């Protein structure tokens, strides 16, 4: 499942697709928060966080491995500590 930082109709449609556990409270909370965001009552960040948490809980959100640049940055940061 692909995610974007901008919350919108695609996120709402993604939540309406078949999920492993359709009645999990985290999924239902994400739906509510996205609806509130689209109505202007909730921040995009909060709605996306709920969406991401629900997807992660159900094993639908796969973390990408760190990029080469991030690995180099982490190495430099470790050297500075």
């Amino acid at each position: 499942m692909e995610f974007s930082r901008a919350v919108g109709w695609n996120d709402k449609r993604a939540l309406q697709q078949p999920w492993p556990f359709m009645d999990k409270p985290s999924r239902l909370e994400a739906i509510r928060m996205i609806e509130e965001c689209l109505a202007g009552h909730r921040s995009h960040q909060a709605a996306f966080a709920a969406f991401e948490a629900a997807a992660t809980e159900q094993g639908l959100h796969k973390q990408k491995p760190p990029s080469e640049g991030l690995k180099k940055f982490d190495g430099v940061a470790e050297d500075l500590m």
Side-chain angles (χ1 to χ4, degrees), residues 5-8 28-51:
R5 286 283 171 197
V7 175
L28 301 175
E29 176 73 3
I31 290 170
R32 183 183 68 75
M33 291 192 63
I34 288 173
E35 288 173 348
E36 289 179 2
C37 176
L38 293 172
H41 304 295
R42 181 76 58 180
S43 73
H44 289 250
Q45 293 86 356
F48 183 79
F51 178 76

Side-chain angles (χ1 to χ4, degrees), residues 2-70:
E2 288 296 315
F3 298 94
S4 66
R5 286 283 171 197
V7 175
W9 291 111
N10 288 336
D11 301 309
K12 189 173 178 183
R13 280 198 309 258
L15 284 164
Q16 293 168 343
Q17 298 298 315
W19 282 46
F21 304 98
M22 297 291 283
D23 294 329
K24 278 269 196 181
S26 61
R27 180 184 163 277
L28 301 175
E29 176 73 3
I31 290 170
R32 183 183 68 75
M33 291 192 63
I34 288 173
E35 288 173 348
E36 289 179 2
C37 176
L38 293 172
H41 304 295
R42 181 76 58 180
S43 73
H44 289 250
Q45 293 86 356
F48 183 79
F51 178 76
E52 190 172 39
T56 299
E57 181 180 61
Q58 295 200 27
L60 299 173
H61 183 228
K62 308 288 190 253
Q63 291 283 47
K64 292 182 182 178
S67 68
E68 289 302 315
L70 186 55

